[in-house]
Amino acid sequence: MATIGILTGGGDCPGLNPVIRAVVRKAHNEGYKVIGIKDGWKGLIEANTMPLDLVATSGILHRGGTILGTSRTNPYKKEGGVEKVKANFKKLGLDALIATGGEDTLGVANKLTKDGVPNIVGVPKTIDNDLSATDYTFGFDTAINIAMECIDRLHTTAESHHRILVAEVMGRHAGWIAVESGLAGGADYILVPEMPVDIDEICEAVKKRHARGKQFSIIVVAEGAKMKERDVTQDQSLDEFGHVKLGGIGETIAKEVEKKTGFETRVTVFGHIQRGGSPTAFDRILGTRFGVKAVELVKAGQFGHMVALVGNKIVAVPLEEAVRELKTIDMELYNVAKEFFG
Ligand code: F6P
């Protein structure tokens, strides 16, 4: 019986457990055995695994996070990491590996494919929705629905206190969460990493709104948005993929807006709330479709590929294409949101 390994790497997100469940079910139906690799690439470096069967994956469809655990370990940054991955691939008797993750995890999958670990299939995941070659990644829909609900809640308190409320949402390099949650939540201004922040423009929009009688405003800012003049990132330490820990932009904007408009301003950071809890129906279904398709790719020997949503079809795209560049926001969508600024 051929054996498939599965791992989940990078930041967790709702929809990972539906993928694991679907992989195990489809593999079972096709006569494969599945081994769960714990904590992303770290588990493959350490040969830390758990058996996965129908019993182990029962009752997890609605659960957030990942039963396999995750980490931001990069085998290319660990002494002998790649050699250990190769050796454990053999030791564990893996005929194929399904790597589920975002740009970093799939970037490693792509490099390993070129470096002589040819039996890898990718599954795209990230709440940031910034992976190329797929229209959507699971986790994103849940994140924007949570952020939208939080923005709704900010509206009532902002209105009661006649305040400006700045909501900082996730989104490291791309402002998908900011644009879509802001659009759905009726934001009065949205800031994204793709465009430098112009404080005067924000203040003008807020003043215009207040001049027509509104006494509160909601500004949504992606954590990766940048001030024109300076870097406001609080923590400069890097993870193994070279990312800084973001945070601080919301606070900076709130202070500047309050100073320049004279309106009392507060900031709320939504943070990991956006990544926790149960997946939406959309993310459960997308994760399930991705999981089933990933096993089909294994069966067809279509390695070095990632499953992707294109239109409403699940297709296979080369890993290389998926990790070549990040998918930044659709400016048409941002321009729709812009109609409601101020
Ligand atoms: O996985 C993507 C993401 O949620 C980004 O939006 C965010 O910048 C980052 O992960 C946060 O990472 P951590 O979980 O390490 O704080």
Side-chain angles (χ1 to χ4, degrees), residues 1 3 61 107 109 126 138 143 165 179 193 210 217 230 236 252-253 263 267 293 300 307-308:
M1 186 190 271
T3 302
L61 178 61
T126 167
F138 58 84
L165 281 177
V179 177
H210 285 229
S217 291
R230 58 187 189 280
Q236 294 297 337
T252 305
I253 283 167
F263 303 129
V267 59
K293 182 74 175 182
V307 297

Side-chain angles (χ1 to χ4, degrees), residues 97-255:
L97 175 70
I98 296 177
T100 308
E103 44 155 338
D104 298 330
T105 307
L106 297 179
V108 169
N110 187 40
K111 271 192 185 169
L112 286 171
T113 300
K114 291 178 186 159
D115 290 344
V117 188
N119 299 352
I120 306 179
V121 165
V123 174
K125 151 273 35 159
T126 167
I127 65 160
D128 290 356
N129 197 38
D130 58 359
L131 259 181
S132 283
T134 184
D135 289 350
Y136 283 102
T137 48
F138 58 84
F140 173 67
D141 186 67
T142 307
I144 58 169
N145 275 289
I146 293 169
M148 178 192 71
E149 201 190 313
C150 293
I151 294 168
D152 286 351
R153 287 173 188 276
L154 290 186
H155 265 92
T156 56
T157 173
E159 186 166 17
S160 306
H161 286 266
H162 319 298
R163 282 174 176 158
I164 297 173
L165 281 177
V166 174
E168 185 181 304
V169 298
M170 281 190 169
R172 200 194 284 278
H173 307 291
W176 287 103
I177 298 178
V179 177
E180 295 213 8
S181 69
L183 197 48
D188 303 302
Y189 209 96
I190 300 170
L191 300 158
V192 292
E194 288 86 344
M195 279 172 274
V197 172
D198 186 331
I199 285 287
D200 292 328
E201 214 178 284
I202 307 170
C203 294
E204 279 320 303
V206 165
K207 281 187 200 157
K208 194 174 99 191
R209 185 176 146 81
H210 285 229
R212 62 162 209 275
K214 285 286 180 188
Q215 290 187 310
F216 72 98
S217 291
I218 306 287
I219 299 169
V220 175
V221 52
E223 61 179 352
K226 286 173 196 68
M227 301 293 285
K228 263 181 187 161
E229 327 69 45
R230 58 187 189 280
D231 185 1
V232 295
T233 310
Q234 287 164 345
D235 185 339
Q236 294 297 337
S237 57
L238 301 182
D239 69 16
E240 288 183 14
F241 289 95
H243 305 301
V244 287
K245 210 180 276 170
L246 293 170
I249 186 73
E251 190 68 45
T252 305
I253 283 167
K255 276 191 193 136

Side-chain angles (χ1 to χ4, degrees), residues 286-342:
L286 186 58
T288 300
R289 293 176 79 194
F290 278 169
V292 167
K293 182 74 175 182
V295 176
E296 282 172 5
L297 294 197
V298 169
K299 193 178 173 196
Q302 210 174 344
F303 298 114
H305 280 69
M306 175 188 94
V307 297
L309 178 72
V310 177
N312 197 26
K313 293 270 172 258
I314 308 293
V315 299
V317 295
L319 271 172
E320 183 75 49
E321 210 178 287
V323 299
R324 195 176 298 139
E325 61 182 37
L326 284 173
K327 184 181 71 189
T328 51
I329 56 162
D330 176 356
M331 284 313 292
E332 255 180 53
L333 191 64
Y334 186 79
N335 287 336
V336 171
K338 224 171 148 182
E339 297 288 343
F340 299 89
F341 289 2

